[in-house]
Amino acid sequence: MRKSAIAVLFLVILGNVGAWALWNRPVAERPWAGVINGVSYTPFHPDKSPTKRDRPTSDDIEKDLKALEGSVKGVRTYSTTDGSEMVPAIARKHGIPVTAGAWIQGQTEIDEPEIAGLIKLARTYPNVRRVLVGNEALLRADVTVPQMIDYIRRVKKKVNVPVSTAEPWHVWLEHPELADAVDFLAVHLLPYWEGVPVDDAVDYAMLRYNELKTRFPNKHILISEIGWPADGPWRRGAEASQVNQAKFVRTFLNVAAQNRLDYFIMEAFDQPWKREIEGTAGTSWGMWDAWRNPKFPMIGDVHEMKNWPVLCAASVGLAFLPLVFFLTRRNDLKFAGKLFYGALIQAVGSVLVFTFSAASAAGLATTTEIAWGVLIFCQFVLLAVMLIDGLELTEVVWQERFRRRFQPCQAAPAPDAPKVSIHVPCYNEPPHMVIQTLDALARLDYPNFEVLLIDNNTKDPEVWKPVEAYCKQLGEKFRFFHLDNWPGFKAGALNFGLDVTAPDAEFVAVIDSDYQVHPDWLKATIPHFARPEVGFVQSPQDYRDWSHDLFQRMINWEYAGFFHIGMVQRNERNAIIQHGTMTIIRKQALVDVGRWGEWCITEDAELGLRLFEAGYESVYMPESYGKGLVPDSFSAYKTQRFRWAYGAVQILKRHWRELLPGARKLTSGQKYHFITGWLPWFADAAHMVFGVAGVIWSLGLLLFPKYFEFPPNAFMIPTLSVFAFKVAASLWLYEARVKCGFWDKVGAAVAGMALTHTVGRAMWQGMFTSGRPFVRTPKCENQPAFMQAILMAREEIALLVSLWAAALAIVLVFGHENRDAFMWAGLLVVQSLPYLAALITSLINAFPDFRIGRRRPQPVAAMPGAAD
């Protein structure tokens, strides 16, 4: 490795360590050196759940109470039928008193065994000092106050220990008759659920405690639950975190000692099974984690993730080999580029490690595992796309030199220059437009060429007859062919052209029937075939007559991005996409690889891949030598991109074996560009699923909050960050390579984003269907009416409205208490942006006010055919 590469490696690793350390910087909180009065205890280990009718073993409870011995003075249980009935006997061996509880649910078959068990425990074990008949049963409305009082009285008659029930503070205030029925008040003070910020939470809890003390001066008050979760959603100002849990607990323990409070900390051990009923927050109230390890120290600094050095080291290890591979192979990049992309690799490694760490602590429920598995896969795809975009940005901005830069040839062609057969496939195109194309070809500054105008399947003689007549006027170099009922669409027409090509022609050039070529086109490009390994020479697609129309201006610059950014970078690895216009192919190579593929609706890109597989090289010159017409309507624009995307899937289904590692026909660079070039289109396909899933998940949050919760920030924040990176990278790339103004860059971004749904639909159809007919992109269409514009984007509008409605409903229902609701709503809005872009683009296309200048020529009706 060069010294600069070693320096980058060192800086990236140092920066990563610094980021982890900064994020997990220690927080000094008030220490606690005493013994905890009591903790709530549920005896289920990570692999067990009462909802599955699992029962803890006596060994499980023995290990738990041994871990608590010396740290707490007592424990509180919640049931007498789920295995918790074994706690008093085992706790007695360790000298731990128990406040036993019975689970009351308002169902006789559940309540009666619980009450009987509670009475038995209180009469059998002297370390059962108090009993609680029910836990928040009134809050849940499982029973009425009279029913609860009746239960309490029944128990009081049978036991010789104080009896109460456990409820939040407001239930006691609302039902003083309940307070009269109990021996003491067992109150839950949980400021997190009430949205109180952690800095104010202990004071708030004491406020409620003193309110009860004032209201019921003759009743002893037991704080039967008080605590703070280490993980979970924001609730108004309350943030669940490890640091906040330590802050709350340590502060409260000191306040409790000063005021001699009677309390149980909620709770002893994390309970992953509670995710099913209380979401993420319900799993993480424990002072010990689910594996019985202390979560934070009582004295000294607190870290959000105490094992962050291990995770940091894992992230460095995950990114190390890709970093070294990148740095040792990319000596053509400037130092800043190496540092930028190296940092991006390391950032992806850190995000993945953090995500897997969060997933490992999420609990073991099957639904949870499935949800996290899907989310991790989606995040992996998003991060892969970001790395691909990041590498393109790095190469464009910081590449020191081009390895394959081809310049136009300036020398005048010799009289015996090799012959070129120029094929112009045409279907149902406006005669005046095709005639302009022929005129431009007639002006070519090249001595030896022919032009074959191949009109296939045009039914109206009034359309093709004028073109035929004009070809005769231009002389013997121009030949016209009209084909009726010809199969194979554009590829079929081109294969016919190959059959009738002049025998002495060495090269076949193809342009679309709307292209007006520059006179120097052949002169500047044919000399590049001097090397026999060159199979084809490609010039960019370029366009004319778009500046007077905002819609056409937007899509012109959207096209320009690919030809001035993507194709230039692909050319560096001899991996360009061949296009069916402004391309010149060695005729013998075309014949040898099997001619044009009539089975594929993107026959041009498929032929280019076959030429690469046969060992040929390509030449790409970014200089423009011909200009065509952009689509007139958003519908035509979508149709064209649908065809490109659908054809890409066809190509992958036919050629996937050659793209696998170990296949020898393609170089690694060619495999990289063909795979990564189409991967964002698969991401568009996934976006469709995400959009629909986002709406469905939102409905679940609204209608079934018990079973649905907001996705963790470990996914939402990276997703939003990747979107922001893609937007910034796109604008940066355009600034570096595409010479247009800022608003043209924005317009290009909007136009490209508007095709997301179209591309996604094409990819899904391409994966599950084949043989979709070729549909040409119409030119010179009438300006669509407003309602036509709405109809052109009707699917996108439906998804846009659904996502916005879901986002609004989430904010209205949850926004007052849960900051995660705003994050989720923001994610829904971000998901909706491609659909909004489609609506905007369609409306711009529809409104005549956006047209500047003369109207374009009137079209002939669009039908399936051969031209692009």
Side-chain angles (χ1 to χ4, degrees):
M1 294 178 66
R2 293 184 176 182
K3 291 182 179 179
S4 63
I6 295 174
V8 168
L9 185 63
F10 175 77
L11 289 173
V12 167
I13 293 175
L14 184 64
N16 183 62
V17 173
W20 278 90
L22 181 64
W23 184 32
N24 293 281
R25 60 189 180 278
V27 178
E29 297 297 342
R30 190 174 178 181
W32 166 257
V35 179
I36 298 171
N37 187 72
V39 291
S40 298
Y41 172 58
T42 306
F44 292 96
H45 282 233
D47 59 337
K48 293 180 180 178
S49 168
T51 61
K52 299 178 181 177
R53 300 190 179 276
D54 293 331
R55 288 178 59 84
T57 65
S58 59
D59 287 342
D60 290 338
I61 298 173
E62 178 73 38
K63 292 176 183 177
D64 289 346
L65 296 183
K66 188 174 182 180
L68 297 177
E69 186 177 6
S71 298
V72 303
K73 295 178 181 178
V75 296
R76 175 205 166 181
T77 62
Y78 290 84
S79 174
T80 64
T81 62
D82 65 355
S84 297
E85 70 273 13
M86 295 184 286
V87 171
I90 300 172
R92 185 180 183 188
K93 294 191 300 182
H94 295 277
I96 298 176
V98 176
T99 295
W103 188 260
I104 300 301
Q105 200 165 317
Q107 301 175 32
T108 303
E109 65 274 18
I110 294 175
D111 296 352
E112 291 301 329
E114 286 280 347
I115 290 173
L118 185 65
I119 294 170
K120 180 179 179 181
L121 291 177
R123 298 177 66 170
T124 303
Y125 299 102
N127 61 324
V128 174
R129 306 287 175 81
R130 293 175 290 205
V131 296
L132 296 173
V133 184
N135 184 75
E136 297 184 349
L138 294 174
L139 178 68
R140 295 191 305 272
D142 288 344
V143 295
T144 64
V145 172
Q147 286 176 308
M148 179 57 72
I149 292 174
D150 180 63
Y151 280 159
I152 291 169
R153 288 173 176 169
R154 286 174 54 192
V155 174
K156 288 177 69 173
K157 291 179 181 179
K158 298 291 182 71
V159 301
N160 295 317
V161 295
V163 180
S164 186
T165 185
E167 293 290 345
W169 59 270
H170 63 87
V171 172
W172 292 106
L173 292 175
E174 292 168 1
H175 300 286
E177 69 275 25
L178 182 65
D180 293 337
V182 300
D183 297 318
F184 63 96
L185 270 61
V187 58
H188 292 176
L189 299 174
L190 302 169
Y192 167 78
W193 289 123
E194 298 184 59
V196 180
V198 70
D199 291 334
D200 304 322
V202 173
D203 289 341
Y204 177 81
M206 292 305 298
L207 173 69
R208 295 306 183 187
Y209 176 86
N210 288 325
E211 189 175 2
L212 288 171
K213 190 175 180 181
T214 301
R215 182 73 175 275
F216 305 106
N218 299 321
K219 292 288 185 181
H220 175 73
I221 299 177
L222 165 68
I223 302 176
S224 47
E225 282 186 3
I226 188 166
W228 197 271
D231 193 13
W234 282 82
R235 296 187 65 84
R236 297 193 292 277
E239 178 187 5
S241 72
Q242 186 67 79
V243 168
N244 285 351
Q245 183 182 39
K247 175 185 291 189
F248 179 88
V249 170
R250 283 164 58 163
T251 301
F252 171 76
L253 290 175
N254 280 279
V255 170
Q258 293 170 5
N259 292 276
R260 298 184 179 180
L261 302 179
D262 190 5
Y263 63 86
F264 287 103
I265 296 293
M266 175 68 188
E267 62 186 319
F269 306 107
D270 281 349
Q271 298 293 308
W273 65 270
K274 288 186 179 180
R275 180 180 299 274
E276 303 170 22
I277 56 175
E278 295 180 9
T280 303
T283 69
S284 61
W285 291 77
M287 296 181 62
W288 287 260
D289 65 23
W291 293 269
R292 279 45 184 173
N293 302 307
K295 289 164 65 175
F296 55 86
M298 289 297 183
I299 298 175
D301 293 335
V302 180
H303 294 83
E304 184 60 37
M305 301 177 70
K306 65 182 180 181
N307 64 333
W308 75 262
V310 175
L311 298 177
C312 178
S315 70
V316 170
L318 181 63
F320 186 78
L321 289 180
L323 261 173
V324 171
F325 179 80
F326 166 72
L327 292 172
T328 54
R329 292 176 64 91
R330 296 313 304 266
N331 293 323
D332 58 323
L333 296 175
K334 296 177 182 178
F335 182 84
K338 295 177 184 177
L339 185 61
F340 171 81
Y341 196 70
L344 196 62
I345 293 172
Q346 183 61 73
V348 168
S350 293
V351 169
L352 288 175
V353 167
F354 176 74
T355 300
F356 276 97
S357 173
S360 67
L364 301 178
T366 302
T367 54
T368 301
E369 291 179 340
I370 293 172
W372 278 80
V374 171
L375 289 172
I376 288 174
F377 174 76
C378 295
Q379 188 176 95
F380 183 83
V381 173
L382 280 176
L383 294 174
V385 172
M386 186 175 75
L387 284 175
I388 293 166
D389 291 343
L391 181 59
E392 183 177 53
L393 176 63
T394 303
E395 292 180 338
V396 166
V397 176
W398 290 291
Q399 190 162 323
E400 288 186 333
R401 62 188 181 278
F402 286 100
R403 291 170 289 185
R404 299 183 80 245
R405 185 64 181 263
F406 301 99
Q407 299 294 334
C409 299
Q410 302 295 332
D416 61 345
K419 188 169 187 176
V420 181
S421 182
I422 303 172
H423 297 178
V424 186
C426 180
Y427 167 75
N428 210 39
E429 301 288 6
H432 71 276
M433 183 188 77
V434 183
I435 288 171
Q436 291 172 350
T437 298
L438 295 173
D439 283 339
L441 290 171
R443 292 191 293 267
L444 282 170
D445 183 14
Y446 193 81
N448 197 9
F449 70 92
E450 68 170 357
V451 176
L452 308 185
L453 196 296
I454 309 160
D455 180 90
N456 69 316
N457 300 323
T458 301
K459 304 303 181 185
D460 187 356
E462 297 299 321
V463 175
W464 61 266
K465 284 287 187 181
V467 179
E468 180 184 38
Y470 198 75
C471 282
K472 292 179 180 179
Q473 294 180 31
L474 291 173
E476 61 182 12
K477 282 188 175 182
F478 290 77
R479 291 190 283 160
F480 178 89
F481 300 90
H482 174 69
L483 310 176
D484 277 325
N485 298 320
W486 197 259
F489 309 107
K490 182 178 180 179
L494 290 173
N495 281 331
F496 172 84
L498 192 59
D499 291 334
V500 297
T501 293
D504 58 339
E506 297 182 38
F507 306 104
V508 172
V510 179
I511 66 168
D512 286 339
S513 58
D514 60 315
Y515 266 73
Q516 296 179 14
V517 299
H518 190 280
D520 291 343
W521 176 38
L522 299 182
K523 179 177 73 174
T525 53
I526 290 300
H528 286 296
F529 284 101
R531 294 187 299 120
E533 58 267 27
V534 174
F536 66 101
V537 176
Q538 181 73 54
S539 297
Q541 292 181 206
D542 201 359
Y543 302 94
R544 66 183 191 276
D545 295 343
W546 46 262
S547 60
H548 63 284
D549 184 300
L550 180 55
F551 166 73
Q552 293 172 356
R553 187 182 191 94
M554 290 167 61
I555 63 176
N556 169 75
W557 290 118
E558 192 269 331
Y559 290 135
F562 179 73
F563 290 103
H564 292 285
I565 300 171
M567 286 284 278
V568 172
Q569 296 312 125
R570 296 177 75 108
N571 185 57
E572 286 292 282
R573 296 182 179 87
N574 188 35
I576 68 170
I577 294 284
Q578 189 196 38
H579 293 269
T581 189
M582 300 307 300
T583 186
I584 307 174
I585 312 159
R586 191 182 297 274
K587 186 177 76 170
Q588 190 58 49
L590 177 56
V591 173
D592 289 345
V593 299
R595 300 154 62 97
W596 298 93
E598 298 182 20
W599 60 272
C600 183
I601 64 173
T602 49
E603 71 296 318
D604 41 12
E606 194 272 337
L607 174 64
L609 185 56
R610 276 191 282 132
L611 288 167
F612 286 137
E613 291 172 353
Y616 286 101
E617 291 185 17
S618 65
V619 167
Y620 179 71
M621 293 191 305
E623 291 77 15
S624 173
Y625 284 98
K627 296 185 177 183
L629 299 175
V630 296
D632 280 290
S633 70
F634 184 48
S635 178
Y637 183 45
K638 291 170 61 176
T639 298
Q640 181 188 65
R641 197 59 56 94
F642 184 97
R643 178 168 59 82
W644 293 354
Y646 188 92
V649 183
Q650 286 186 302
I651 294 171
L652 282 171
K653 288 161 73 172
R654 178 69 67 96
H655 292 267
W656 64 271
R657 293 177 181 83
E658 299 306 326
L659 296 171
L660 294 176
R664 298 181 178 181
K665 290 184 178 180
L666 297 173
T667 67
S668 58
Q670 289 168 339
K671 293 176 185 177
Y672 169 81
H673 276 295
F674 276 96
I675 293 172
T676 61
W678 287 324
L679 183 60
W681 284 357
F682 281 101
D684 289 344
H687 184 273
M688 288 182 63
V689 178
F690 297 159
V692 175
V695 173
I696 294 173
W697 197 266
S698 298
L699 289 174
L701 289 165
L702 295 166
L703 301 177
F704 308 102
K706 181 178 179 180
Y707 303 101
F708 289 81
E709 62 179 326
F710 293 104
N713 288 336
F715 293 102
M716 289 197 285
I717 293 175
T719 299
L720 293 171
S721 299
V722 168
F723 175 79
F725 176 85
K726 285 179 67 66
V727 171
S730 176
L731 294 175
W732 199 348
L733 285 166
Y734 264 71
E735 181 65 26
R737 286 278 177 84
V738 183
K739 304 306 178 185
C740 63
F742 173 78
W743 290 111
D744 284 330
K745 296 182 180 71
V746 173
V750 171
M753 196 183 297
L755 295 171
T756 299
H757 180 71
T758 297
V759 170
R761 191 160 51 84
M763 300 303 282
W764 282 114
Q765 291 191 27
M767 283 186 277
F768 296 105
T769 66
S770 59
R772 186 179 176 87
F774 186 107
V775 179
R776 78 169 180 83
T777 304
K779 309 298 192 304
C780 300
E781 286 191 307
N782 282 322
Q783 187 74 5
F786 175 78
M787 286 308 300
Q788 288 178 306
I790 299 300
L791 291 173
M792 285 190 290
R794 59 187 179 276
E795 293 181 13
E796 291 91 335
I797 292 171
L799 287 166
L800 174 68
V801 171
S802 298
L803 286 165
W804 280 6
L808 180 62
I810 289 294
V811 169
L812 292 176
V813 173
F814 299 105
H816 66 286
E817 66 174 20
N818 191 339
R819 290 192 187 181
D820 287 350
F822 289 98
M823 185 77 72
W824 176 247
L827 193 60
L828 294 176
V829 171
V830 167
Q831 284 184 305
S832 77
L833 291 180
Y835 309 125
L836 177 61
L839 175 59
I840 292 172
T841 304
S842 187
L843 289 173
I844 287 174
N845 180 217
F847 280 104
D849 291 344
F850 287 114
R851 296 183 66 85
I852 308 168
R854 63 180 176 80
R855 294 183 66 84
R856 298 176 68 182
Q858 298 299 309
V860 175
M863 294 175 62
D868 183 11

